[in-house]
Amino acid sequence: MTMVEVVLADYGNAAHAAALVDLLDAYARDPAGGGTPLEAGVLAGLPAALAARPQAFSVLAYDGQTPVGLVNCIEGFSTFACKPLVNVHDVVVLHSHRGQRIAQRMLARVEQEARTRGACKLTLEVLSGNAPALRSYEREGFAGYQLDPAFGHAVFLQKKLL
């Protein structure tokens, strides 16, 4: 197992910005991320766009000087708890470093930051066919969301506006 360092990303740091877009693009190209590279405008603008949003933060994992993992998070708000929540939006670990519990280490750093922000919970979405990721998240305490079992589990939906 390699020695991996996990850090809170600084969007103004050129190395962190490059790592963020490179890792996110690798994820986008993977079948689990849709299998399509990110557009040039996204790659060029994402670090500054995230930096402009105080509710956004990212965690990076490095094996030496090589970026190998990324988690992007966006702070939301729980009206039921009247507190912030943190949505884990992207989780990326390069194929070369999977199976080393890097995602778990990054999620621990996310949880630390969420607690610092006074968040009441972490949320995330995972594709039902991504069994390894689902098992990993369940090991870290994530579970399906429901209020009353009679109404079933929450379902994540989207409506694209572009």
Side-chain angles (χ1 to χ4, degrees), residues 78-151:
S78 169
T79 54
F80 280 22
C82 192
K83 292 184 177 186
L85 61 82
V86 171
N87 178 256
V88 175
H89 195 67
D90 304 300
V91 178
V92 182
V93 176
L94 294 181
H95 284 283
S96 60
H97 285 71
R98 291 184 182 164
Q100 299 179 31
R101 300 194 51 82
I102 292 170
Q104 288 73 23
R105 293 189 52 214
M106 291 189 298
L107 288 170
R109 183 60 183 92
V110 166
E111 184 173 337
Q112 179 185 11
E113 179 64 19
R115 288 182 185 281
T116 298
R117 292 170 177 244
C120 63
K121 66 181 174 180
L122 299 176
T123 64
L124 60 77
E125 301 91 39
V126 60
L127 295 174
S128 60
N130 193 346
L134 188 54
R135 282 191 304 273
S136 174
Y137 301 143
E138 287 172 343
R139 274 195 310 270
E140 297 308 308
F142 289 90
Y145 172 77
Q146 66 183 20
L147 296 172
D148 179 338
F151 285 94

